[in-house]
Amino acid sequence: MCGIVAYTGKRNIIDTLIDGLRRLEYRGYDSAGIAVLDKNKITTVKSVGKVQSLVDKITPAMKKELSKGKIGIAHTRWATHGIPSEPNAHPHLDEKCRFAVVHNGIIENYALIKEHLIGKGHKFLSETDTEVLPHLIDDCYEGDLLQAVAAALKKINGTFGIAVISSEHPEQIVTARKGSPIVIGVGENETIIASDISAIISYTDKVIFLNDNDIALIDKDKIDLRNIDNVPVSREIAHIDWDPGSAEKGGFEHFMLKEIFEQPDAIANAIRGRLDESLGTGTLSGLNLSAHDLVSVNRIIIAACGTSLHAGMVGEYFFEDLADIPTEVEQAAEFRYRNPIINPGTFILAISQSGETADTLAAVREAIQKGATVAGICNVVGSTIPRETGRGVYLHAGPEIGVASTKAFTCQVAVLLMMALKFGRSRRLSRQTGIELVAEIKRIPDLVRKVIATAKDIEKVAKKYAQAKDFFFIGRGYLYPVAIEGALKLKEISYVHAEGYHAAELKHGPIALLDENVPVLAMANNIPGKDKIIGNMQECKARKSPVIAVATEGDEEIRKHADDIIWVPECSQYTVPIPSVVALQLLSYYIAKERGCSIDQPRNLAKSVTVE
Ligand code: F6R
């Protein structure tokens, strides 16, 4: 998804903008560009493809010339309106080249605005919605950059995170947001603006998160914050404790592998200080729910997308089994457009690694609007969902850079289990059962460590099946969402067609697709439902499908029913989703590697999906 960087300060402007863009590469993009302002002149360089192609276009002579500038903006674009091409890449300018704009988001009424401006003599060069912005700013300009940008933004419908420079104001940057994140990094005599703190943390740990409809003027190192109606606003300076080094690969071939391997630590961080061993409960103070609030909840709706949705599906089992609370899991995109029924006592849980997913954020806003109590389970500190819900739980998983979500999923499931325990203990769950569960939760990092120790064995299985064109993943109960998540991991990074199915549903249609070329991965761990899944595995073998079982260590019996086995340590049904999904993450990783795929940045995908 698109990324923004803007800088004013003493560092080399080209190096700083390019460094920022590289740190945003993980988000996924298809073209990139920069604009540098020097002596009332804006110069742009754009290129299709990777940031490296942009770097290759900047000759040493150009770099020397451009480096005289002290202010610049830069962008990685993920195409929405118009193909990936140089004219469509940002920054966009008005025809007099007085205003340059980078923009994340979508301008819904751009076609009308464009028509109007063409009528006034403006000439457009791209197919993008963004290009209307510099023209509109030019149209509104009466000598004050901030006022012109604010006036232009008032005319557009849609979402934006923007940074603007102007040849008329050689020391100013204007930035603003609505529905698309903007963070201002406040350094010593320098300011770096970005759509994501990854581009900022190596320069400063002091940041200001803009709220929707905030607009800021950065003039040298002074920051003037207002809302779009020109009323001054104040925003706290937050301190970010992410270690810049933790966003690097740390010796692993891919971020995804690094993130799979760091799950024991990530989960330990997610549970640290959140369990009360003597009361047998989860603490999770960020939920901000009193004992009375906890018992007043009579229904939970979980809204999320993709992998976070699958974590929510595991959560549904937790809340029903441990807390007796009827729970529904909703695709956030559906929740926002249906007319969800929210009664007093309905508790909405939005799960999002990035905290910025457009559909999940819209679901949160819809729920808040309907008066519901809404909490977030998010990883990125200070992102929009936790700020808007004002209550919730951070994962503390550290930055997740690989596009395919891994450690966020396991930490989400761990947090959901602690949350269900907390709700359960406020109801009929006994102290003794609570204490036993706390002990099980504390074992999770070790369970995951044991699976990771078998990575080489999983790699062998992966190599055997890497050329399959289709795959089925089947599971039941707590392992049904895990099967779906396993299939998602495989399809997104290896481009192998994979379907996650409830094991019992297979015979209601998809079984027609099975033959010797279609392997079936069956979640056959030793938990309730195992006998039934063995029956389903036999159904698959009868159709000649090779069967891979994920099974509990020591379960020799399973060898009779499977061609290959991936072992997971013995554990209860509550914790089993976590080590089991780690085995599937490794399987997908090694299949994708064997197929030579771009693992950290799969085609067509973006790390955070900030458009509908
Ligand atoms: C899959 C994946 C996506 C995200 C989804 C939601 O590996 O990463 O399916 O889970 O786009 O993103 P968040 O959790 O940031 O809301």
Side-chain angles (χ1 to χ4, degrees):
M1 206 89 339
C2 307
I4 288 177
V5 185
Y7 180 79
T8 169
K10 297 226 162 9
R11 294 176 201 257
N12 179 287
I13 188 72
I14 303 296
D15 293 342
T16 313
L17 293 177
I18 295 290
D19 176 64
L21 291 184
R22 287 199 196 283
R23 291 176 194 277
L24 297 179
E25 282 194 290
Y26 75 92
R27 296 167 62 93
Y29 65 101
D30 44 48
S31 50
I34 58 171
V36 175
L37 175 57
D38 178 38
K39 293 201 199 90
N40 304 86
K41 181 170 176 253
I42 297 173
T43 310
T44 58
V45 189
K46 303 180 186 186
S47 106
V48 175
K50 296 287 170 198
V51 171
Q52 189 55 44
S53 322
L54 181 68
V55 174
D56 293 343
K57 267 187 107 172
I58 306 173
T59 61
M62 260 168 99
K63 184 171 175 191
K64 195 166 164 217
E65 197 48 37
L66 288 174
S67 296
K68 292 179 188 158
K70 293 282 164 253
I71 283 199
I73 57 178
H75 193 259
T76 47
R77 173 173 186 257
W78 187 74
T80 56
H81 295 65
I83 56 163
S85 68
E86 281 186 25
N88 287 340
H90 302 207
H92 287 286
L93 284 87
D94 62 307
E95 65 202 76
K96 287 174 250 155
C97 296
R98 290 200 299 168
F99 305 97
V101 178
V102 286
H103 165 231
N104 288 355
I106 288 180
I107 300 172
E108 286 158 8
N109 57 340
Y110 84 100
L112 269 179
I113 296 174
K114 190 167 173 175
E115 204 183 299
H116 169 73
L117 290 170
I118 288 173
K120 288 175 102 176
H122 289 254
K123 293 197 174 53
F124 286 79
L125 304 173
S126 81
E127 303 157 276
T128 65
D129 52 341
T130 301
E131 199 186 1
V132 300
L133 268 175
H135 289 267
L136 208 47
I137 294 168
D138 177 52
D139 200 53
C140 298
Y141 183 69
E142 289 174 355
D144 183 316
L145 182 59
L146 181 102
Q147 297 308 330
V149 175
L153 293 176
K154 281 187 174 177
K155 294 184 195 279
I156 65 170
N157 301 332
T159 54
F160 53 82
I162 56 163
V164 184
I165 52 174
S166 166
S167 59
E168 304 284 321
H169 301 271
E171 299 198 308
Q172 297 185 349
I173 302 177
V174 171
T175 184
R177 81 157 268 175
K178 184 180 165 198
S180 194
I182 288 286
V183 192
I184 303 176
V186 186
E188 292 289 326
N189 304 319
E190 64 179 352
T191 307
I192 180 153
I193 298 155
S195 49
D196 178 326
I197 48 178
S198 313
I200 294 179
I201 41 173
S202 54
Y203 298 93
T204 176
D205 63 350
K206 288 193 225 140
V207 298
I208 298 171
F209 294 99
L210 292 196
N211 280 0
D212 274 354
N213 293 316
D214 282 355
I215 182 165
L217 173 73
I218 292 90
D219 194 344
K220 294 196 201 124
D221 49 4
K222 276 205 328 281
I223 301 174
D224 179 4
L225 263 171
R226 298 168 177 267
N227 67 19
I228 211 160
D229 294 318
N230 207 20
V231 179
V233 293
S234 72
R235 303 277 170 247
E236 271 175 37
I237 296 190
H239 287 262
I240 299 299
D241 60 4
W242 281 11
D243 160 20
S246 63
E248 306 295 333
K249 277 193 220 145
F252 286 90
E253 197 176 341
H254 296 99
F255 279 114
M256 183 180 177
L257 190 63
K258 170 182 176 261
E259 286 158 10
I260 293 174
F261 271 65
E262 67 195 15
Q263 287 177 104
D265 291 338
I267 298 163
N269 285 339
I271 62 183
R272 181 168 297 120
R274 289 169 163 176
L275 290 167
D276 184 323
E277 283 172 70
S278 60
L279 290 177
T281 188
T283 47
L284 304 171
S285 53
L287 280 179
N288 208 6
L289 296 175
S290 66
H292 178 262
D293 296 335
L294 283 170
V295 288
S296 308
V297 171
N298 54 28
R299 178 170 163 241
I300 294 177
I301 302 177
I302 298 176
C305 302
T307 288
S308 298
L309 181 78
H310 300 155
M313 289 167 72
V314 181
E316 179 178 11
Y317 288 81
F318 290 149
F319 286 116
E320 294 189 348
D321 277 354
L322 296 170
D324 290 337
I325 305 176
T327 304
E328 295 149 47
V329 186
E330 285 273 2
Q331 287 173 2
E334 274 308 302
F335 182 91
R336 66 184 295 192
Y337 286 117
R338 282 197 303 110
N339 191 11
I341 295 160
I342 292 170
N343 298 315
T346 303
F347 178 65
I348 310 282
L349 205 44
I351 308 179
S352 171
Q353 186 286 130
S354 60
E356 300 292 352
T357 299
D359 285 322
T360 312
L361 180 57
V364 163
R365 288 178 176 160
E366 178 64 21
I368 291 174
Q369 159 85 11
K370 287 195 149 76
T373 306
V374 186
I377 298 182
C378 298
N379 191 34
V380 178
V381 175
S383 54
T384 309
I385 292 174
R387 285 190 294 126
E388 297 208 359
T389 56
R391 72 172 84 221
V393 184
Y394 281 122
L395 300 179
H396 300 320
E400 192 179 66
I401 307 292
V403 165
S405 186
T406 51
K407 61 179 178 172
F409 178 84
T410 48
C411 291
Q412 285 162 347
V413 174
V415 165
L416 285 161
L417 179 53
M418 292 188 289
M419 210 183 262
L421 174 60
K422 185 179 170 87
F423 275 100
R425 288 285 291 121
S426 73
R427 292 138 196 266
R428 67 166 180 91
L429 201 72
S430 73
R431 181 157 169 257
Q432 187 49 37
T433 311
I435 290 173
E436 285 162 19
L437 250 173
V438 166
E440 275 186 54
I441 295 171
K442 292 186 128 182
R443 269 185 71 211
I444 297 175
D446 256 343
L447 297 173
V448 171
R449 226 167 258 127
K450 286 188 177 137
V451 174
I452 287 173
T454 68
K456 286 266 163 288
D457 301 328
I458 298 177
E459 186 173 10
K460 280 189 205 135
V461 178
K463 283 191 167 152
K464 182 168 167 191
Y465 293 98
Q467 300 317 322
K469 291 200 173 59
D470 305 277
F471 243 98
F472 274 88
F473 286 65
I474 57 171
R476 286 170 172 265
Y478 279 92
L479 291 167
Y480 164 51
V482 172
I484 303 181
E485 171 58 12
L488 175 65
K489 283 290 89 83
L490 183 63
K491 70 186 120 190
E492 65 183 328
I493 60 165
S494 70
Y495 318 139
V496 173
H497 166 236
E499 301 217 29
Y501 252 89
H502 192 281
E505 274 290 306
L506 210 57
K507 58 184 163 302
H508 296 288
I511 202 164
L513 297 172
L514 297 190
D515 65 22
E516 63 277 21
N517 299 315
V518 184
V520 176
L521 184 138
M523 304 303 302
N525 310 54
N526 223 346
I527 60 165
K530 183 186 140 195
D531 293 349
K532 302 253 180 272
I533 202 127
I534 286 182
N536 302 130
M537 287 158 72
Q538 281 163 346
E539 288 159 12
C540 299
K541 280 192 88 63
R543 272 83 192 169
K544 299 200 175 63
S545 276
V547 172
I548 308 161
V550 172
T552 306
E553 263 164 23
D555 181 2
E556 292 304 319
E557 185 69 3
I558 205 80
R559 292 191 193 276
K560 285 195 232 143
H561 311 287
D563 298 279
D564 288 281
I565 302 169
I566 295 173
W567 298 108
V568 168
E570 172 93 55
C571 53
S572 78
Q573 60 175 346
Y574 302 117
T575 52
V576 77
I578 296 181
S580 304
V581 86
V582 173
L584 301 189
Q585 294 166 353
L586 284 166
L587 182 72
S588 302
Y589 173 82
Y590 289 120
I591 290 181
K593 191 174 159 204
E594 190 65 18
R595 295 171 70 94
C597 298
S598 165
I599 292 181
D600 283 333
Q601 289 169 35
R603 68 183 181 208
N604 305 339
L605 293 182
K607 183 64 188 161
S608 98
V609 183
T610 48
V611 293
E612 269 190 60

